[in-house]
Amino acid sequence: MSKFIRFFIPVVQLSNRRPYTVIAVALLLSIAAGFFASKLTVDTDIANLLPPSNENVQALEKLKETAGGETEMQVAIKSPDFDANVDMAEFLAEKSLDLYYPRYEDNFFSRAELRRETEVLQDNALYLATVQELIQIKDYLQDEIETAREEANPFFVDFSDDFEDEEEGEETDIGKFRESYDDLIPPEYATNSDSTVVMLTLYPTGPQSDIRYLEDMFEVYQDMLDEVDTASYHPEMEIKFGGRLKRHLDEFESIMNDVFNSFSLGISSVILLVMLYFFIKKYIHYRKGSKIGRKHSFWSHFIRMPVPVLVIGIPLLFSLMWTFGITYLQIEVLNTMTSVLFVILFGLGIDYGIHYYARYIEYRSMGRSVENSVLLAYDKTGAAIIVSALTTAAALFVLMFADFRGFSEFGFIAGMGILFALVAMLFVLPALLVIFEKWNWILTNRVGDDYVRSKGIHRYPYARSIVSVGLILSLIVLIFSGNLRFEYQFGNLEPTFEEYEQFREFTSGVDENGRRNPAYIIADTNDDVFEVLDSLRTRSDQNPETLIRDVEALQERFPPNDEMANEKLEHIAEVRQLLQNSFIRDQQDENLDLLRRGSQTREPLDEDIIPDFLKNRFMTQEGEIGRFVIIYPESGLSDGLKSIAFKDEVGEVELASGKTYHSASTSIVAATMLDLMRTESPYMVSATFLIVFLFIWFSFKNLRWALIALIPLIIGLLWLFGIMLLFGLKFNFYNLVVLPAVLGIGCDNGVHLAHRYRDEGQKSMWDVLSSTGQHITIGSFTTMMGFAGLLFTNHPGLQSIGIMAVVGIGMTLLSALTFLPAMVQFLEDKDWIH
């Protein structure tokens, strides 16, 4: 490592000789990188956290390309007068379609959906039934006829009441058809049970990824509503708009606000801490210096408090610009996890500057020249800084090998940020020191002859007790580590938006049904559609714990060829014949009335008579009936374990020919992401630890010292797990990304302390703590403050990152300041280290 350090000494000497040139080059590179960095945006779509090569992601993209990815905007009108609500909805539909967007040179909305023409579907309801449902309907009618015949017998005795409880809850032959009927043929208007709310659906012309478009659309729409006289329709009328499209915008804005707030809070606290620390440290050194050298007043030192922030902060800002400029060129967008890396890297990268600048001040206080102090600071701290930075960067780069892009992109950006911060602190910071010294902005004084170092006087107290207690606590955590849990509830990791929840409550009961979060398979041929249907239904029938509620395809309801259409018409004709049976012909019954009206079809239906609201739901963007197989889950998929189970059950379907289809839905993608991350995490953490260990071993060229340097990391992680067990904290797919980061970051403290102790020699641990111990404490605090900004965000997932990082880094610092010195003292007493 010493050869590696000396190799770059000419670059440091260049910073001494030509500081303005170095700063000018760094500034130009930062301006160019900053131009690209300013183009970065945040993508909140979780589907993009998986690699594009993932089969389920490709299936979802194909679904969007085939069926379209429109996300509608919903407008809810509420009052006790249903007719007034409809009149207002019709008025708003007309006004909405006239709203013009100059930026697109088009209207905001392409179409509106209000009244649903259902007469045609009601008259031809049985044509929408599947063949299986038609067979069940015929069985139902046969049973009704037989029952009516028996009841007409004067000697008939009905014993069915005795078994009523046993049959309760069983689905009748017509039950499945009635469920499909209610789903395919909804009420004329989208309304709730008491008809006090009417829903108007608007389809935007712009994509949901265009945030500026969404902001303008909602602003213009609110302005339009403000001008509407609702009281003229009904004095109690209320209008709300939004839905998932508004939630998407709120989520984006929330994340951006969180990023800005965490950035402001984190950086301001880091700056304040650095200013105070170096002001106190420098002033104490100054006062300890010779009386002749004390030429400057307290006020002169006070007004120079921002100087350390400038000396360390300017190179750090340069490195951040370089990092995010490269990020734009390589990735183009940030995701939810990487959106907060700016403030995190600020806290991480400043550590190297703190160590360098602090050692520089110490050498200047010893009377060394500016140039000599710069070179000595580089020589003495360079090894520890470079090892720390390379181990941290390597640990983060390991994440790049993960398929989960939450890991891989985090690793790439953070790893590059660490390397750029290292370069900036080792080669740009010295140039700033030379310039600021020329401008007399850094005030130092040579330490007086009466100042005696305490080396050899102190030993670390209570070493044996601290080691014993630390090992016992670590052993207890290991014993109970099996109780650590993973958070599988997606809802607990998403922010709650009050406006969206109010809208959901406002529209409660409108068009609600149990068929939610369906998955789709797009088949190549109609034959494949039916084979996929059969395969999935067989799985469902054979799995007692199936999560498949129902499977359907439009080809079953709208026959794709004349042969299948004629088969369906024959079944319908048989139903009509059964309905004419004398025993039930005049019987008044809701189900029979529905069947009488719906069995009028005598020839194949033309697609042109199918209402738009139904056609648009099932058609491709080209206006053709899509070969979609729709799979409805039995229950909600907010539980990650259920989501994974549903994905495992329906995610892949292989046909007899060997052709394989993959299911598409955001729930499937989320489950795949969770499953992938859960699978990759142990490998990522293990590989990270191995890389850290190898780097440290290479640095010390001694296995014993490598293990000593790793003590704060190992013990700190165990104590982190102990805190998690104590307070019931859980791992999740957000904070798991922090574990490899903590591995890389947490090793820094042990490396710096071990390197300094070896430089100073035996019986120097107390002196090492009084100098390097301060530096690692401030460095860890700045890193923790960088993450701590996430604690005040509205996003539970981002909050969990902050909690995990702050506690993890805090525990590695605590073990570095207590357990490591105690262990070194213990080994020193035993004469086991030299």
Side-chain angles (χ1 to χ4, degrees), residues 45-50 54 56-57 60 404 488 490 494 637-641 643-644 647 664-678 733:
D45 189 351
I46 62 171
N48 293 331
L49 291 178
L50 288 173
N54 181 272
N56 295 115
V57 172
L60 185 59
F404 177 53
Y488 285 101
F490 289 116
E494 296 179 351
L637 300 178
S638 59
D639 184 332
L641 290 175
S643 184
I644 291 173
K647 182 264 298 183
S665 76
T666 54
S667 297
I668 293 288
V669 168
T672 304
M673 176 190 69
L674 181 59
D675 201 19
L676 179 64
M677 181 214 58
R678 188 178 60 171
F733 67 83

Side-chain angles (χ1 to χ4, degrees), residues 349-411:
I350 204 170
D351 290 6
Y352 311 126
I354 288 173
H355 284 283
Y356 196 112
Y357 184 71
R359 190 64 72 91
Y360 172 83
I361 294 301
E362 290 179 2
Y363 287 126
R364 287 288 286 139
S365 298
M366 294 176 188
R368 305 275 188 176
S369 67
V370 173
E371 291 77 9
N372 188 244
S373 297
V374 166
L375 289 172
L376 279 174
Y378 172 78
D379 183 57
K380 296 299 182 182
T381 64
I385 290 175
I386 290 174
V387 170
S388 298
L390 291 181
T391 52
T392 303
L396 291 165
F397 280 142
V398 168
L399 298 177
M400 290 177 58
F401 294 97
D403 286 332
F404 177 53
R405 292 174 65 181
F407 280 164
S408 60
E409 292 180 3
F410 189 99

Side-chain angles (χ1 to χ4, degrees), residues 313-377:
I314 290 175
L316 182 55
L317 288 177
F318 285 173
S319 72
L320 290 173
M321 291 300 100
W322 303 340
T323 300
F324 288 97
I326 292 292
T327 299
Y328 174 79
L329 295 176
Q330 182 68 25
I331 304 176
E332 293 187 354
V333 295
L334 300 174
N335 60 54
T336 305
M337 295 181 180
T338 59
S339 62
V340 295
L341 269 175
F342 194 94
V343 65
I344 292 173
L345 286 174
F346 190 93
L348 284 172
I350 204 170
D351 290 6
Y352 311 126
I354 288 173
H355 284 283
Y356 196 112
Y357 184 71
R359 190 64 72 91
Y360 172 83
I361 294 301
E362 290 179 2
Y363 287 126
R364 287 288 286 139
S365 298
M366 294 176 188
R368 305 275 188 176
S369 67
V370 173
E371 291 77 9
N372 188 244
S373 297
V374 166
L375 289 172
L376 279 174

Side-chain angles (χ1 to χ4, degrees), residues 297-314:
S297 65
F298 175 84
W299 176 249
S300 298
H301 287 272
F302 184 79
I303 62 175
R304 287 171 171 79
M305 278 184 66
V307 169
V309 175
L310 295 175
V311 171
I312 301 172
I314 290 175

Side-chain angles (χ1 to χ4, degrees), residues 170-244:
E170 293 184 7
E171 190 175 46
T172 63
D173 288 332
I174 200 174
K176 191 172 182 63
F177 170 71
R178 283 303 304 264
E179 184 179 343
S180 300
Y181 180 92
D182 293 337
D183 184 52
L184 290 169
I185 309 177
E188 184 178 10
Y189 291 96
T191 184
N192 57 354
S193 58
D194 59 5
S195 299
T196 57
V197 177
V198 171
M199 187 80 77
L200 167 66
T201 302
L202 300 171
Y203 292 87
T205 53
Q208 69 174 17
S209 58
D210 189 340
I211 299 301
R212 180 182 169 188
Y213 165 78
L214 296 182
E215 291 173 340
D216 293 342
M217 181 183 72
F218 288 122
E219 181 181 354
V220 168
Y221 206 83
Q222 184 61 60
D223 291 342
M224 184 194 77
L225 289 182
D226 291 340
E227 297 175 358
V228 175
D229 182 13
T230 57
S232 64
Y233 287 82
H234 194 280
E236 299 179 24
M237 182 172 287
E238 296 179 75
I239 302 176
K240 293 184 182 294
F241 68 95
R244 289 198 168 271

Side-chain angles (χ1 to χ4, degrees), residues 45 47 95 100 114 227 236 253 285 295 300 304 377 396 399 435 489 511 545 560 578 599 622 658 695 718 767:
D45 189 351
K95 292 277 290 184
Y100 184 73
L114 177 60
E227 297 175 358
E236 299 179 24
E253 292 178 339
H285 276 283
K295 301 177 183 178
S300 298
R304 287 171 171 79
L396 291 165
L399 298 177
I435 292 173
Q489 291 293 335
D511 271 4
E545 298 180 354
L578 289 170
S599 59
E622 287 73 28
F695 264 92
L718 289 174
D767 290 308

Side-chain angles (χ1 to χ4, degrees), residues 480-494:
F480 291 97
S481 61
N483 293 324
L484 289 169
R485 293 291 178 262
F486 191 90
E487 179 59 82
Y488 285 101
Q489 291 293 335
F490 289 116
N492 293 339
L493 301 176
E494 296 179 351

Side-chain angles (χ1 to χ4, degrees), residues 559-575:
N561 55 55
D562 292 339
E563 181 182 353
M564 297 181 68
N566 290 329
E567 179 188 2
K568 182 172 285 190
L569 291 173
E570 290 175 5
H571 285 294
I572 295 174
E574 293 175 14
V575 170

